[in-house]
Amino acid sequence: MRNDYEVAVVGGGLLGSSIAWGLGKLGQRVTVLDEGDIAKRASRANFALVWVQSKGLGMSPYTLWTVRASETWSRLAGEMREQTGLDVAFQRPGGFHLSLSEAEMAGRAASLDKLKNQPGAANYSIDFLDHEGVRKSLPGIGPDVVGGSYCPLDGHVNSLRYFRAVHTGLNLFGVDYRPGHAVSAIAQVGGEFRLTTAKGEIRAAKVVLAAGNANQTLAPMVGLSAPMGPTRGQILVTERLKPFLHFPITTLRQTDEGTVMIGDSREELTDDTTMKLPIHAVMADRARRMFPLLGSANIVRTWSGIRVMPRDGFPIYDQSESHPGAFVACCHSGVTLAPNHAYDIAPMIVRGALDGHQVGAFSARRFAAPAAEGGKSYW
Amino acid sequence: MFRRSAETTGRTVTITVDGVRVSAREGDSVTAALLASGLDFTRQTVVSGSARGPYCMMGVCFDCLVTIDGVGNRQGCMVPVREGMAVSRQTGKREIGR
C-alpha cells in the first residue's frame, strides 16, 4: 500500500504552514489541506509580536517554550530570506508594556512577580522603569505614562510577509498546498488516514491537525481533544509614518513599512464581521495618551479577528493513542512560536512521537484535571 | 503640461509651495493649483520612494497627498486654496505630529 503522502497537515495558517515547512525541509512528502483565501484566519488578523514577557503564568513550561522561540526566530527569518528572498523584518530590540496609572503599574508588577516565582520559571530579565526610564527609549511618551516593564527578549515581525514567505517556501520544498480542501471527516483504515475533503479523499500515513479553533471539532475524529475558547480582537491601523517607535509595545507597534498598529481588544465574541466603535475609542484614546503626537495621525484601516485560543490559553500539542500517527497542534501564539513549530514539532512528527520532555506539559490531558487559571495573558 | 481654459475666472490667490510663491485662482483645489503651476509630481511614495502625481482628482486615489499648513497627508484635490496657504511636497512617509 502506498499513501498519497507521508503527512497531511490540516490547516494552512501560520501554525500548519510552519509545521509543514519544517516537514518539507526534512524531505517529507507533505500536503497541506486548507480552506483557502476565504478562510477566517488569525494568520492575517494578528498583531505580529514575538512576545515573551508575561507569558506562562500558570504553566512555566510555556514560558520556556516561548523563550526558546524568541531565541530561534532570527534563524527562521534568515532561512526564509535565503530560501525565498523575502525579508520578514524580524526585529528583537526588546519590548515594553506601558502603564497609564499607578494601579496598572502595581498590577503588572504583581503578575510578573508571580510569574518569576513559579517553580521551573525561565530566568530572563525584566526591567521595571519609571516615566523617565521609559522616556530614554521612547522619547515620545505622554505625561500619563507612569512607567513600564521592558524585556529584552521581546520583538516583532512582519507576520503577513512571513505568511507569504512560508507559503513560498512550502512550494519550493515541493509541499502540495491544496486550497478548497476543508476537511469534514477523518478515518484511519489499515494504518492510513483517509481525509474527506470538499474536493475528494486524501490519504496519508500521518495527520497533523492545525486547523485553529476548528481543531475542537476535528480532534475527536482521531481520538484527541482540543478544548478551545476563542476570543475576538480588534486592531486599528494608521497611515504610514516616518519611523518614530523603535520598540514594540504590547498594544502599539510601528511596522517596518511605517504603519502604526493599535491593538488589541479581547471580546467574548466569535463574530468578526462587525466593528465596535466604543472599543476602538478606548484603544485610540490609550494610544494617544501613550504617544500624544499619534492624536494627529489618520486611522486608515481597522479589522477584527478571532483568536485561536485553547481554553486555558496555553498551547496544545498531543498525539493520539487510539489513532497512532495522528497529532494535534493549536496555540494562540502562532507568530511567536513559529520557529518551534518548524524546528521542534516537525521533526517529532517525522519520528512519530512527540518529545515528552519538551512538550509533554502541553498535552490536552491536562483538561481532565481542574483548570489552571491565568493562562490567557497573551502579552 | 496643463493650461488654464479661457473660461476660468476668479480672483488670484497666492500660496507658497515649498516656500516659493505660486499664483492660483480662487476655486482651485490645491492639486489643481500645483498642476497649473507646472509641478508634475507632488510626492514620493512611502515605501519605495518613487515619484507620484495626482491621478483621480476626486478624492479616491490618495496619490496627491501633500502637507498643507503643517498637516501631512492631506488630499490636495479635496482642499480649496486659500490666500497665504503653505503647501509642501512630501518625500516619503508623513512625520508624526506633522
Side-chain angles (χ1 to χ4, degrees):
Chain A
M1 179 192 71
R2 187 179 186 283
N3 306 298
D4 298 328
Y5 299 100
E6 285 163 297
V7 188
V9 176
V10 182
L14 283 180
L15 189 144
S17 302
S18 299
I19 292 176
W21 185 85
L23 293 168
K25 187 177 158 69
L26 294 168
Q28 293 275 294
R29 210 163 64 247
V30 181
T31 186
V32 175
L33 306 176
D34 196 24
E35 285 180 89
D37 286 345
I38 57 159
K40 292 180 177 181
R41 288 189 196 284
S43 305
R44 290 208 185 95
N46 63 76
F47 200 63
L49 296 176
V50 173
W51 211 248
V52 174
Q53 66 170 290
S54 78
K55 294 253 182 91
L57 187 57
M59 190 199 263
S60 52
Y62 181 40
T63 312
L64 298 169
W65 188 235
T66 300
V67 169
R68 181 178 177 86
S70 163
E71 301 288 12
T72 322
W73 241 109
S74 61
R75 174 184 165 200
L76 182 61
E79 289 190 19
M80 281 292 147
R81 187 203 293 264
E82 203 175 304
Q83 186 193 20
T84 68
L86 293 165
D87 176 9
V88 301
F90 170 66
Q91 300 169 62
R92 197 176 72 160
F96 284 87
H97 177 88
L98 299 184
S99 299
L100 291 174
S101 69
E102 294 292 352
E104 279 182 31
M105 192 75 187
R108 183 70 173 178
S111 102
L112 293 185
D113 201 45
K114 216 161 125 188
L115 181 62
K116 199 177 76 183
N117 291 323
Q118 290 186 131
N123 184 24
Y124 59 87
S125 76
I126 289 188
D127 295 333
F128 277 91
L129 303 164
D130 62 7
H131 178 91
E132 279 310 308
V134 172
R135 208 162 63 88
K136 281 181 194 142
S137 300
L138 299 168
I141 56 168
D144 286 0
V145 175
V146 171
S149 54
Y150 170 81
C151 172
L153 300 183
D154 292 329
H156 58 157
V157 66
N158 186 323
S159 62
L160 291 176
R161 211 175 300 126
Y162 172 69
F163 194 38
R164 180 181 156 204
V166 74
H167 270 262
T168 305
L170 289 180
N171 192 37
L172 291 168
F173 281 141
V175 170
D176 276 346
Y177 172 73
R178 295 171 174 268
H181 280 67
V183 171
S184 55
I186 309 171
Q188 193 176 26
V189 182
E192 74 171 1
F193 290 95
R194 298 183 180 176
L195 298 103
T196 308
T197 82
K199 290 190 179 172
E201 188 180 85
I202 302 291
R203 297 182 180 197
K206 292 174 191 161
V207 63
V208 179
L209 303 178
N213 292 311
N215 273 353
Q216 178 153 304
T217 317
L218 293 170
M221 297 177 188
V222 288
L224 288 164
S225 79
M228 307 298 288
T231 63
R232 186 176 103 136
Q234 296 184 77
I235 287 174
L236 307 174
V237 182
T238 73
E239 61 200 334
R240 299 192 197 281
L241 298 163
K242 291 212 165 89
F244 72 97
L245 191 53
H246 302 291
F247 298 85
I249 300 166
T250 42
T251 58
L252 201 61
R253 73 180 197 97
Q254 187 170 26
T255 70
D256 58 307
E257 291 184 337
T259 56
V260 176
M261 295 174 63
I262 301 167
D264 54 351
S265 62
R266 189 195 303 170
E267 304 149 61
E268 301 295 326
L269 279 177
T270 50
D271 165 28
D272 67 353
T273 57
T274 55
M275 287 295 165
K276 293 244 168 143
L277 287 177
I279 290 172
H280 284 166
V282 171
M283 290 158 59
D285 183 58
R286 286 184 65 86
R288 190 180 54 183
R289 287 169 67 200
M290 289 179 185
F291 291 89
L293 287 175
L294 267 182
S296 63
N298 292 305
I299 302 291
V300 296
R301 279 191 290 287
T302 67
W303 68 72
S304 71
I306 307 301
R307 288 187 185 84
V308 175
M309 187 61 86
R311 196 167 291 162
D312 61 0
F314 304 118
I316 297 171
Y317 307 105
D318 221 341
Q319 55 199 345
S320 177
E321 283 170 18
S322 61
H323 297 64
F327 299 85
V328 64
C330 37
C331 69
H332 163 256
S333 300
V335 176
T336 298
L337 298 176
N340 297 9
H341 297 149
Y343 299 129
D344 294 323
I345 299 292
M348 294 180 203
I349 286 159
V350 174
R351 290 195 296 272
L354 296 179
D355 176 348
H357 177 70
Q358 200 162 42
V359 298
F362 304 118
S363 164
R365 285 191 295 272
R366 69 180 184 264
F367 292 102
E373 283 304 321
K376 284 195 183 179
S377 172
Y378 45 86
W379 40 250
Chain B
M1 188 163 61
F2 289 96
R3 276 184 298 115
R4 288 184 183 277
S5 76
E7 290 110 67
T8 50
T9 54
R11 75 187 173 86
T12 301
V13 172
T14 305
I15 63 173
T16 62
V17 179
D18 293 333
V20 177
R21 289 161 65 86
V22 167
S23 280
R25 294 263 178 88
E26 194 168 45
D28 283 355
S29 68
V30 169
T31 299
L34 294 178
L35 288 172
S37 76
L39 274 179
D40 61 357
F41 85 94
T42 52
R43 70 180 185 110
Q44 289 169 335
T45 57
V46 293
V47 176
S48 70
S50 65
R52 288 293 158 85
Y55 179 65
C56 77
M57 299 296 285
M58 59 182 196
V60 175
C61 76
F62 287 74
D63 256 334
C64 66
L65 299 175
V66 285
T67 298
I68 299 176
D69 290 335
V71 179
N73 271 5
R74 308 251 350 237
Q75 290 173 281
C77 73
M78 302 302 284
V79 181
V81 291
R82 266 185 307 94
E83 184 64 36
M85 184 179 260
V87 177
S88 52
R89 289 185 289 178
Q90 291 191 188
T91 51
K93 299 175 180 73
R94 180 183 176 187
E95 226 169 288
I96 188 174
R98 190 162 183 267

